[in-house]
Amino acid sequence: MIQKSSEALSRRAFLGMAGAATGMMVLASSCSKNDDDNMMNNGVDLGNGDVGILNYAYALEQLEAAFYTRVAQSPYNGISASENALLTDIRDHEIAHREFFKSALAGAAISNLEFDFSAVDFSSRASVLATAKAFEDLGVSAYNGAGKLIVTPDYLTLAGKIVSVEARHAAYIRDLISNGSFADNTVVDMNGLDTSRMPADVLAVAAGFIKTKINASNLPR
Amino acid sequence: MEFQHIINEIKKVDPEMPERLSDRRTAMKSFAGIGAKIGLAALPFFIGSIFKKAYAQSGPSQNVVLDVLNYALTLEYLEAEFYAMGIAKGTALVPAGAPAAAIKTIGDHEAAHVEFLKTAITASGGTPVAKPTFDFTAGGTFANVFTDYATFLAVAQTFEDTGVRAYKGRAAEITGGGDLLTAALNIHSVEARHAAHIRTMRKANGFGDVKPWITGKESGIGSVVQASYDGEEMTTQAGINIVNINGAMISASAATEAFDEGLTKEQVLAIVGPFIVQ
C-alpha cells in the first residue's frame, strides 16, 4: 500500500506543484530593483503550503549533509573504524535526503545555502558528536512538528520515511556520547512521546549554523 | 497547545464550521485559558476531547482516527507485555547494567504508549481494544525467547522495526489530524530510537551483523522474520532514483538505508498474528 502510494506520487505531481511555484518565482524576478532588494533582505523564501514545508526540510537536510561532509573529510582525533564507517553512512543518508528534495522540488527548490560551522571543532570527538546530536534531535523534532502542516498524504508518508531514519541517527549518536541515552528524558516525555518543534523554533536554533538568511514567513502555521 | 490554531485549521477545511460551532467558541476559548493549568499527564484526554469537538466533522473521520489509534494500541500492548515479561526474568535473561537499563527504558516507553493511547482513544469518543493474549514464542518458533538473550533481542528488533513501519504505513490516513497526528509521529520516532538501540545491542553482542539502520531488506536474523523487512530494499522514492542521485556517490545500500518504508495494516497483522493467541 505504501509502495503503491509512493508510486502514485508521480514525478509529474511534484513537477506540477513545482511548476506553479516556478511561475511565482518568475513573477518575483520581474519585480523592480527595490523590491528585489527587499526580497534579498528578507532572505531565501521557503515558499508556502506543502512546497514551503518541503523546502524547509530541504534546508535542514542541506545543513546536515554539509556538516557530515565536513566530518567525513576530516575525521576527529581517535575515531574508530566503526564510528568512521557509520558516520560516513549518515553523511550518505543526509546527502540522499538533500538530493531527493532537490530533485522532487525541481524549479521550486530553494538555492544552495551557506553554512557556518566555526563553532565546531572538527578534530574533537566531543564537539563533533555534540553537534551531531543537536542536529539529529532537531531534525526529528522538525519533521514531527511539521507533519500536521502537510496537506498532501503522500508527502506526509515521505516525511515519515525520513524522520525515522533521523531518529535512528539520533539514537546512534547519543549512544556514542553516552550509551543508553538513545531516548532519554531530554527528548522523550513521560507519555513516551518524542519532541516536536514548529518551524520557527527549529529555524531559530539552526540559524546559528546557517549564513544564508531564510524567510519562513510564508510557511503554514 | 495551540487551540486557536486548531480552530483556524478547521475554518480552512470547513468554512461553515464557525457558524456551526458558534456557541461552542466560548467553550473553546475557556479551554485555551485553562490550557496552561493542565498537567502533562492529562494531555491525552484533553487532546482527545478537543479532537472530538473540533474534528468530528472534518479532517480524517473519527472512525479512521479511532481505527488507527486502536491498531497502534494493539501493537503497543504487544511490545509492552513483551518487555515486561523479559524484565521479569531478571539477569537470567538480560545482563545487569547497561543492557538491563536500556530494556527498562524501552519497556517503560511502551507501557507509557499503551496508557497514552488508551486515554486518547477514550477521550476521542472511542473504546480502547482489549489487550490480546500473547504467545511470544509464536507457536514455538521462538521457543527460548525468554531464556535466551540473543533470541530475546532478535524478537525485540523485529517488533521495533515492525512498529516503525506500522505507524509509518498508516500516517497518511490521518493527514490533517492535528495534535493527534503529532502524537502518533512522536511515538513513531521513539520506536525508531528503540530499534536503533536494539540493533546496536545485537551488533555489540555478535548476535547479528546489523547497523542502527536497515540495509536493503536484511534482518540480520533469518528468514523467519523476513516479512518484517521485505520492501525495505526500495531505492526509488516518489519515482526518483536515489542511487547516485544528481551525481552524488550514493550506493544502493545507502539509498535503502536513507528511507524507511511503511507496512500496510494487512502486512503488519500477518506479521504479529503468530504472536497473538486471541
Side-chain angles (χ1 to χ4, degrees), chain B residues 38-228:
Chain B
I38 294 176
L40 202 54
L43 214 52
F45 174 77
F46 195 57
I47 291 173
S49 58
I50 285 286
F51 182 87
K52 189 166 61 178
K53 285 177 172 54
Y55 275 84
Q57 308 289 326
S58 63
S61 77
Q62 188 179 17
N63 281 347
V64 168
V65 168
L66 289 174
D67 186 56
V68 170
L69 292 179
N70 265 320
Y71 170 74
L73 175 59
T74 304
L75 298 175
E76 298 292 349
Y77 277 137
L78 173 85
E79 291 184 312
E81 185 158 304
F82 172 74
Y83 289 110
M85 288 181 71
I87 290 165
K89 298 288 179 186
T91 53
L93 179 64
V94 181
I103 296 302
K104 182 174 188 315
T105 295
I106 296 173
D108 286 350
H109 289 161
E110 310 301 7
H113 293 164
V114 166
E115 290 312 308
F116 179 89
L117 290 168
K118 282 165 79 173
T119 313
I121 289 165
T122 304
S124 298
T127 305
V129 291
K131 183 170 71 67
T133 303
F134 296 112
D135 167 19
F136 293 105
T137 74
T141 304
F142 304 104
N144 58 356
V145 64
F146 291 126
T147 53
D148 180 71
Y149 186 38
T151 304
F152 178 73
L153 288 185
V155 174
Q157 178 193 304
T158 307
F159 283 168
E160 297 295 346
D161 282 333
T162 304
V164 172
R165 301 189 69 180
Y167 275 94
K168 200 188 319 293
R170 300 202 68 188
E173 291 176 56
I174 51 172
T175 303
D179 291 328
L180 273 174
L181 169 62
T182 303
L185 291 172
N186 285 341
I187 295 177
H188 169 248
S189 59
V190 169
E191 302 294 345
R193 289 175 186 269
H194 294 170
H197 188 79
I198 297 281
R199 297 171 71 91
T200 301
M201 290 172 81
R202 291 190 64 242
K203 170 78 174 178
N205 282 284
F207 294 157
D209 188 15
V210 289
K211 301 176 188 178
W213 28 91
I214 301 169
T215 308
K217 57 176 181 179
E218 296 162 22
S219 67
I221 293 169
S223 59
V224 68
V225 300
Q226 192 53 48
S228 289

